[in-house]
Amino acid sequence: MLRNLRVGIAGLGRLGKRHAEALAHQTRHCELVAACSPVTQEREYATQQLGVAHVYEDYAAMLANPEIDAVVLVTPTSLHADQTIAALQAGKHVLVEKPLALNVTDCERVLAEAVKHPALVAMVGFVRRFDPSYLHAHTAVAAGDIGRPFLVRSQTCDQNDPEGFFVRFAPTSGGIFMDCSVHDIDLARWMLGRPKATRAFATGTNALHPALAEFGDVDNGMAIVEFEGGQRAVFYASRTMAHGHETSTEIIGTAGKLLVGEHAANDRVIRSDALGVRHGVVKDFYERFEAAFGAEMSAFVAACRGEQALTLTLSDALEATRIGLAITRSLHSGMPEAV
Ligand SMILES: NC(=O)c1ccc[n+]([C@@H]2O[C@H](COP(=O)([O-])OP(=O)(O)OC[C@H]3O[C@@H](n4cnc5c(N)ncnc54)[C@H](O)[C@@H]3O)[C@@H](O)[C@H]2O)c1
């Protein structure tokens, strides 16, 4: 019998609280034994709401605890690379949220450190790889059901937040493409068989949040990416949808196409009456991907316990960052950019 994986979490913000609750209450074969946050209320939340035994203000102090086997990093993106490296050096498995880092050099530093610790799991949270619908689509593509896939059209669109959470988030997020489209970029590479990206073009606009311009960011962005084998991808990201969260992806092949997630329906009820035909919508990314977040955490725990191998690699995360950066350069330059 393997013992439970003992996990410490860093970051208890918007997503960190969700991951912490999943680790404390929903994921088998693990225990949430430690938490780290510079914010007093977040540390109190860990102690009082989740009963976490060891709570730290300082990340290095948490890593020094020999009773922790693994860490989950849900911290600002600008900290991911250094915190992942420190965890590996402390002998801990790591699940780090996406994107791995905001520049290629930092990604490469993480990959180089991971090579020195082959017994440790280092995984990046590309949650859509664990979503049942995307898994279904990937299995169909791999089986040749749509012939040769050559085009992916994928979007991540959030409901407008009038308070503009993401405007405050902009200085550390890397911008809309690194923050949102990085998921679509990883999906496109996964569905197309990991081709090498060669060139990117992007444009965008600020429809509702002009304050983003100060950070060189937009609230609606569009990008085209070319791959070496002739495959193409088209991405759209938005912070300003009126109706809800709508992540959808179309994978087009020579013998058919697959469509995942169109219209963001939150259940299977369609109401028809004098006002028209309509259904309720998913309100945010967590509602859309709750099951996938659970499966992702289970896969991480199973990998750390040596029960299951991961197909998602750090190289995939590096390539997603490389492509996201070329798209962001193109947004700023207005010209196509080499990847
Ligand atoms: N997979 C997804 O779909 C998805 C969705 C949302 C966010 N994310 C990623 O999760 C990460 C966090 O996003 P968020 O929306 O929860 O942000 P957030 O700002 O709400 O939370 C960040 C947390 O990190 C904590 N923190 C800051 N510095 C720290 C440090 N040095 N050590 C420990 N904790 C520290 C903050 O106190 C806060 O709890 C980002 O990298 C983001 O890209 C991924």
Side-chain angles (χ1 to χ4, degrees), residues 10-16 36-39 42 59 74-77 79-80 83 97-99 125 127 165 169 179 183 285 293:
L12 291 166
R14 195 170 60 131
L15 183 58
C36 167
S37 167
V39 179
E42 293 179 354
Y59 178 63
V74 208
T75 48
T77 299
L79 303 178
H80 288 179
Q83 290 186 331
E97 260 309 328
K98 51 49 64 177
V127 64
F165 167 84
F169 195 64
D179 186 34
H183 284 293
F285 74 92
F293 278 114

Side-chain angles (χ1 to χ4, degrees), residues 274-313:
L275 295 174
V277 180
R278 62 200 185 280
H279 58 72
V281 291
V282 169
K283 66 178 183 308
D284 60 23
F285 74 92
Y286 198 82
E287 184 179 342
R288 167 64 183 85
F289 289 108
E290 187 167 1
F293 278 114
E296 174 188 69
M297 199 58 82
S298 297
F300 174 63
V301 171
C304 295
R305 284 161 49 91
E307 295 170 324
Q308 183 185 314
L310 294 170
T311 54
L312 171 55
T313 67

Side-chain angles (χ1 to χ4, degrees), residues 103-127:
N103 62 68
V104 169
T105 308
D106 278 352
C107 292
E108 286 171 344
R109 287 196 300 121
V110 176
L111 266 75
E113 194 62 42
V115 168
K116 295 184 203 160
H117 307 278
L120 295 175
V121 171
M123 169 176 165
V124 177
F126 283 123
V127 64

Side-chain angles (χ1 to χ4, degrees), residues 37 52 55 64 77 93 192 203 217 255 272 288 298 323-324 332:
S37 167
V52 173
V55 175
T77 299
H93 304 288
L192 294 171
T203 185
D217 202 3
S272 302
R288 167 64 183 85
S298 297
I323 296 168
H332 295 153

